[in-house]
Amino acid sequence: MKLDTLTLQKKDAKHHIHPFSDYKYQAKPSLTRMISRAEGVYIYDNDGNKIIDGMSGLWCVNMGYGNQSVVNAVAEQMQELTYYNTFFGTSHPPVVKLSEMIAEVTPEGMNQVFFTGSGSEANDTMIRLVRHYWSAKGQPSKSIVISRKNAYHGSTMAGASLGGMSAMHAQGGLPIPGIVHIDQPYHYEACVEAGEAIDRAEFGRQAAQALEVKIDELGEDNVAAFIAEPIQGAGGVIIPPETYWPEVDRICRERNILLVADEVICGFGRTGEWFGSDYFNIKPDLMPFAKGVTSGYLPLGGLVVSDEIMAVIRDAAGEFEHGFTYSAHPSCAAAAIANIELMHQSDIVNKVKNVAGPYLAEKWHSLSEHPLVGEARSLGMLGAIELIKDKENFVRHKNAGEVAGICRDHCFNNGLVMRAVGSKMIIAPPLVCTNSEIDEILEKVWKSLEMTVSSIK
């Protein structure tokens, strides 16, 4: 028997602790959004309202909802081998096949995969592994990991420490020792701080060179790695200037620092390439991934490790004392295999590169004509708009976060999931969006912006 929405909301408030939520909702159960089913690029609430999912769940449902081939693959695997661990030199056919499939699409020299249950676990694994690597090379002092402010790398103790979000650091005594942060390559923010437009290319070079300054400050012999998302996702779809990544690559190579490209959001087609590293021509040593590998159908993450690093670790004495109960869970691996097969069959990466991504970019850029929008930027199936009070002088609203929250709520009420991040509104729609569905997203964004203007008057 299907329960009515209010009954579900009350039961939810009584027992369910939501992630990233203000728990005052428990006193007001009716505020909880109850999503009951999904199909294609749409989700439906418990009352049957149809909502286009402009965020792919949490950046993950790349191939859309309801793909029966993935559902069938998981069901078949559960009949054969529901679960077994991969500890102590154990394996199973699904992880063998999945490892090979991932190696076929990763950058050159990246052929080794350590599996986890999430992107957070993948980044925890990265810290453990890079420190083990340098110790195996006789350089145990190389243990510090440099990250960026406003980055997001998960919400475990290590993942949240790698991330550069002050609100997360304020809870739980973060960051943990051995992790430091440099400024992000956020060009529009720099213009806001300057009160005028600044040269994008020169800003990109300077933002990258902050890494070199930090390495000098800490000492090259103490720095193990630099981690960054090719495009900062949860930070607000921060797309770095074209001058940024080549300079970062140079610095890491010259200073003997491992380069970690966090592909949890950018990986598996979102940029119109298999990985964000491919788009920006980054040469990573390690790549954490998750989300799009299964399109969110089941939880799976991992860390792609270069052949060079694995050669050192393989020759090191003893075991790598690290792993998870659900590393390479066979049913989750089956979901990933079916999802990647579907990506190949539909040629989705090329479609994002040549059809959906360019179409979204063209339509998205038109939002810059709206009086509330200071910048509309996009890349592949990612987009952000900067909500602004005075475009010409780059002046934000004093209550910028509140304005974005108002816009987010209008979006949802208009049948669109769009996320508010500080003064920004962002989207990451499923890669399978058609042009007509992109048009629908844009119509609803524009309508919501108009309603926001009325609300803040």
Side-chain angles (χ1 to χ4, degrees):
M1 182 182 71
K2 181 179 177 180
L3 295 176
D4 67 90
T5 300
L6 185 58
T7 299
L8 283 169
Q9 289 167 328
K10 288 179 177 178
K11 287 177 176 290
D12 179 84
K14 189 174 181 179
H15 299 293
H16 179 205
I17 302 173
H18 296 206
F20 281 95
S21 296
D22 185 332
Y23 295 128
K24 293 183 181 66
Y25 76 86
Q26 292 189 329
K28 295 182 178 179
S30 62
L31 296 179
T32 298
R33 292 166 178 158
M34 195 63 62
I35 306 303
S36 296
R37 69 182 186 91
E39 183 178 358
V41 301
Y42 296 95
I43 58 175
Y44 297 81
D45 69 18
N46 199 59
D47 297 316
N49 294 306
K50 184 179 181 181
I51 305 154
I52 192 163
D53 186 4
M55 284 304 302
S56 302
L58 280 176
W59 320 81
C60 56
V61 189
N62 288 7
M63 295 302 291
Y65 297 93
N67 285 301
Q68 197 60 43
S69 61
V70 181
V71 175
N72 291 344
V74 172
E76 290 169 11
Q77 181 57 48
M78 285 191 165
Q79 294 290 339
E80 185 75 19
L81 177 67
T82 304
Y83 164 78
Y84 200 70
N85 72 82
T86 53
F87 279 36
F88 317 124
T90 306
S91 195
H92 48 69
V95 74
V96 172
K97 183 173 181 178
L98 178 58
S99 301
E100 185 176 46
M101 292 177 76
I102 291 174
E104 286 173 353
V105 296
T106 50
E108 185 178 356
M110 306 285 287
N111 295 296
Q112 311 284 322
V113 190
F114 186 104
F115 287 98
T116 68
S118 67
S120 294
E121 289 179 358
N123 280 315
D124 283 33
T125 300
M126 180 277 295
I127 296 176
R128 293 287 310 279
L129 194 142
V130 298
R131 288 175 175 171
H132 179 54
Y133 166 79
W134 286 116
S135 182
K137 290 193 61 138
Q139 297 175 271
S141 66
K142 287 177 76 69
S143 62
I144 297 173
V145 178
I146 300 174
S147 184
R148 299 189 301 204
K149 297 174 184 176
N150 197 38
Y152 186 83
H153 298 292
S155 60
T156 55
M157 290 292 284
S161 295
L162 286 170
M165 296 188 167
S166 57
M168 296 180 74
H169 289 178
Q171 298 175 339
L174 303 178
I176 59 176
I179 297 172
V180 299
H181 299 83
I182 60 173
D183 286 339
Q184 59 187 328
Y186 187 179
H187 177 251
Y188 193 83
E189 178 75 8
C191 294
V192 169
E193 291 174 355
E196 61 182 359
I198 63 173
D199 184 77
R200 183 174 173 85
E202 180 56 28
F203 170 78
R205 283 187 286 270
Q206 291 178 2
Q209 286 160 8
L211 173 60
E212 201 159 30
V213 171
K214 182 59 71 173
I215 293 169
D216 287 340
E217 176 188 318
L218 298 168
E220 186 177 309
D221 291 342
N222 298 316
V223 179
F226 172 62
I227 182 171
E229 305 155 85
I231 297 170
Q232 284 171 252
V237 185
I238 310 302
I239 303 170
E242 59 282 356
T243 51
Y244 180 79
W245 275 112
E247 187 70 356
V248 168
D249 259 328
R250 176 193 67 78
I251 292 166
C252 288
R253 300 300 157 226
E254 290 182 2
R255 298 306 192 92
N256 197 27
I257 307 297
L258 296 178
L259 178 54
V260 184
D262 184 335
E263 295 278 2
V264 171
I265 285 175
C266 291
F268 296 94
R270 188 152 292 279
T271 64
E273 301 286 351
W274 275 95
F275 295 93
S277 295
D278 298 318
Y279 183 89
F280 290 105
N281 196 29
I282 302 167
K283 301 295 188 294
D285 298 294
L286 304 103
M287 296 194 319
F289 67 88
K291 297 189 184 293
V293 68
T294 66
S295 282
Y297 280 52
L298 283 176
L300 183 74
L303 180 68
V304 182
V305 183
S306 73
D307 300 341
E308 182 180 347
I309 289 176
M310 272 310 299
V312 172
I313 290 174
R314 191 182 304 116
D315 293 340
E319 298 177 355
F320 178 42
E321 304 283 352
H322 179 75
F324 304 98
T325 299
Y326 301 115
S327 290
H329 190 294
S331 300
C332 299
I337 291 167
N339 180 66
I340 294 172
E341 286 176 343
L342 186 62
M343 292 181 70
H344 283 299
Q345 290 163 8
S346 64
D347 198 24
I348 193 65
V349 177
N350 282 329
K351 286 180 179 177
V352 170
K353 182 177 183 177
N354 298 311
V355 182
Y359 190 78
L360 176 63
E362 177 190 349
K363 297 293 183 177
W364 196 255
H365 182 70
S366 68
L367 293 172
S368 62
E369 298 170 8
H370 194 280
L372 193 59
V373 177
E375 179 181 72
R377 56 181 179 267
S378 74
L379 195 159
M381 295 300 277
L382 288 160
I385 51 176
E386 297 276 352
L387 303 185
I388 202 78
K389 182 178 181 181
D390 178 352
K391 290 191 187 193
E392 187 176 343
N393 297 300
F394 295 90
V395 178
R396 289 186 173 132
H397 296 88
K398 290 182 179 179
N399 59 337
E402 183 181 342
V403 171
I406 291 168
C407 187
R408 175 201 59 216
D409 292 343
H410 283 313
C411 285
F412 198 85
N413 292 333
N414 288 326
L416 167 67
V417 175
M418 195 174 179
R419 189 163 168 180
V421 178
S423 60
K424 298 166 286 296
M425 297 297 297
I426 62 176
I427 60 161
L431 309 189
V432 295
C433 274
T434 63
N435 286 0
S436 63
E437 288 162 345
I438 290 171
D439 288 341
E440 180 183 347
I441 290 172
L442 268 293
E443 288 166 8
K444 291 181 175 181
V445 174
W446 192 276
K447 179 180 179 181
S448 300
L449 288 169
E450 290 287 274
M451 294 174 71
T452 302
V453 170
S454 297
S455 296
I456 63 178
K457 279 181 180 178

